[in-house]
Amino acid sequence: MTALHASGFPADQVRERARSGAAAVFPDASSYGTSLFGDAPSFSSDVLDEARLVPPVFVPRRLEKLIELGREPLYGDVSLSTSIGGFESSLPLYLSAFGSTQVAGAGLGAAASAQAARLGIPMVIGENVVPVHGHGRAGGASAGTLLERMRAYADAVPDGLGGVVVQQSTEDADAEVWNLVYSDPSAASLLESGRLAFELKVGQGAKPGLGGMTLVSPAVAASLSSQYAVDLSLGSSVLRSSSPGTFTDEILRQQIRLMRNNFPRAGVWVKLPPGRDVAFAASVAWAAGASAVTVDGAEGGSGWAPLSFASVGLPLAECLSRIGVPAGCLLASGRMWEGTRVAKVLALGARAAGLGRAALLAVDTDPASGLLRFVEALALELRMLLSALGQYRADALTPEDVWFPGTPDRVREQVLS
């Protein structure tokens, strides 16, 4: 029996996709011939979910593809390969950061790593893994360590695809995580092939303004007290809190310049929370030389967060709206689990979408192939959606492909703009 839960997230649908793959994209086949299908009213408060993809009548790109192929193009002719933060990826997807929480440390992190590698998509290893679980160099790649996840990925990734991104927080910096990884022989193949990057975590969507949080036993809390705040008892467990870090625009510039100087062979990623100045922060990061900027919308998930933070931070759609046309590689995360949501963020400027809770649920459903089947379903949806929109490349969508409902005046303004 699986034990992983995700309240408020479409966990059942994700698990069905992890079990059935592409078949889960369609209604139950047994209903064919006896059921009629069509749009149903949506009551979601999520702006992205409320938005609609709107295919045009005239499709000049389809004509171009027809001439190229010498036949009418179909959805199978859509290419989903793309470049993500300096890495070549088979799909406009990446595995979002899983840190030191128990959820990812209980074997799911390594299983997700191996399947992401087989898919040929980049993977981010989250903060606090080394200070809490260890690096893994001295005693081998034991369970939960950073090295376990890196090796699981490196052993399965195809040549020329994917990449590993190692996130660092304030406590990780104290543990010199990036230095450890950069000099580790196990990372040499990734480094030499240009498939290693480091991500500076400025914040996250589930709890913007706070650092990472986990629950630990009193005994573990005592061993971590010199590195973390472990001052709040919650029943039989103790809250372990990371520092959120202190940033100004100049500090962010200098941090990125320091990363580029100290680790010249590694890419530079920056993860931003859904703050009201997210557009300015993204522009600072790109101008300073970031290879990719991840915007984690307020819909983003976490292994542990205060309940009140469900109403803190900007929705992802608003973040993308404020950023507008990105000046560099923009990545988006927050409640990604099916093709229409991914297509919408691609149309609004993102290069790729991050899979967090959906990936963990898929792997929890089937540790060997759940993520593979889940992404099979998502990729099929994307190909069908792009083809319907008259496009045949993952990076070809534009804001024109998305319609946001509203008052008649607002709709008229959008149409006439």
Side-chain angles (χ1 to χ4, degrees):
M1 292 294 290
T2 54
L4 194 60
H5 304 282
S7 177
F9 193 77
D12 291 343
Q13 293 97 313
V14 170
R15 290 190 185 281
E16 178 57 30
R17 288 166 175 243
R19 286 187 288 264
S20 304
V25 170
F26 301 94
D28 188 339
S30 64
S31 65
Y32 181 72
T34 60
S35 299
L36 301 175
F37 302 97
D39 184 37
S42 172
F43 300 100
S44 172
S45 60
D46 187 298
V47 176
L48 271 179
D49 285 347
E50 284 289 290
R52 299 181 69 89
L53 292 168
V54 283
V57 175
F58 298 121
V59 282
R61 300 288 87 75
R62 185 174 298 163
L63 177 60
E64 292 177 3
K65 195 69 175 177
L66 182 153
I67 295 170
E68 174 191 332
L69 297 173
R71 59 168 172 80
E72 285 282 353
L74 300 170
Y75 64 83
D77 298 309
V78 172
S79 172
L80 295 179
S81 61
T82 190
S83 177
I84 303 176
F87 303 144
E88 295 304 312
S89 179
S90 62
L91 299 159
L93 303 170
Y94 64 95
L95 192 65
S96 291
F98 305 146
S100 61
T101 58
Q102 183 175 331
V103 167
L108 295 185
S113 300
Q115 292 183 54
R118 290 170 63 187
L119 289 165
I121 63 175
M123 169 189 74
V124 183
I125 300 177
E127 64 176 348
N128 298 317
V129 174
V130 171
V132 175
H133 297 298
H135 176 254
R137 179 186 291 179
S142 56
T145 62
L146 184 144
L147 196 53
E148 178 198 37
R149 298 190 202 179
M150 288 190 65
R151 284 183 177 171
Y153 188 94
D155 289 346
V157 69
D159 290 341
L161 288 176
V164 173
V165 185
V166 180
Q167 199 176 82
Q168 182 167 281
S169 66
T170 301
E171 289 76 16
D172 289 319
D174 293 338
E176 298 189 345
V177 170
W178 288 341
N179 285 325
L180 286 170
V181 172
Y182 200 71
S183 61
D184 194 316
S186 298
S189 63
L190 293 171
L191 194 61
E192 290 166 2
S193 61
R195 291 184 289 174
L196 181 68
F198 296 145
E199 181 173 77
L200 178 65
K201 180 184 176 183
V202 180
Q204 69 179 91
K207 43 185 182 288
L210 296 178
M213 294 179 173
T214 61
L215 295 183
V216 297
S217 68
V220 172
S223 68
L224 295 175
S225 60
S226 62
Q227 297 170 289
Y228 297 93
V230 287
D231 58 353
L232 182 61
S233 294
L234 300 176
S236 60
S237 300
V238 178
L239 179 67
R240 187 233 70 193
S241 300
S242 302
S243 162
T246 300
F247 288 93
T248 65
D249 57 319
E250 187 56 28
I251 289 174
L252 179 57
R253 288 188 192 94
Q254 294 302 332
Q255 288 271 28
I256 294 171
R257 290 169 183 164
L258 188 68
M259 293 167 69
R260 295 176 63 195
N261 180 70
N262 291 358
F263 311 107
R265 299 167 67 193
V268 175
W269 288 31
V270 175
K271 182 174 183 177
L272 299 178
R276 61 178 187 256
D277 53 353
V278 64
F280 177 51
S283 67
V284 169
W286 283 317
S291 312
V293 171
T294 298
V295 174
D296 200 16
E299 304 92 334
S302 175
W304 193 254
L307 294 173
S308 58
F309 272 69
S311 60
V312 176
L314 292 174
L316 180 57
E318 179 64 20
C319 291
L320 297 176
S321 174
R322 294 192 181 197
I323 291 172
V325 179
C329 179
L330 175 65
L331 310 179
S333 54
R335 202 178 170 80
M336 298 294 163
W337 72 276
E338 50 82 40
T340 57
R341 190 173 179 87
V342 173
K344 289 168 191 175
V345 299
L346 295 181
L348 295 174
R351 185 76 58 81
L355 300 177
R357 282 168 292 179
L360 284 173
L361 285 164
V363 174
D364 186 53
T365 303
D366 181 350
S369 302
L371 182 59
L372 299 177
R373 283 193 289 268
F374 171 81
V375 171
E376 172 191 281
L378 200 158
L380 175 61
E381 284 180 319
L382 279 177
R383 287 191 169 92
M384 288 183 166
L385 290 166
L386 265 73
S387 176
L389 291 162
Q391 301 291 358
Y392 294 88
R393 299 194 327 272
D395 61 354
L397 300 183
T398 71
E400 198 175 37
D401 296 310
V402 184
W403 175 80
F404 290 93
T407 65
D409 286 343
R410 179 182 171 190
V411 173
R412 192 176 299 110
E413 288 174 4
Q414 180 170 340
V415 171
L416 296 176
S417 63

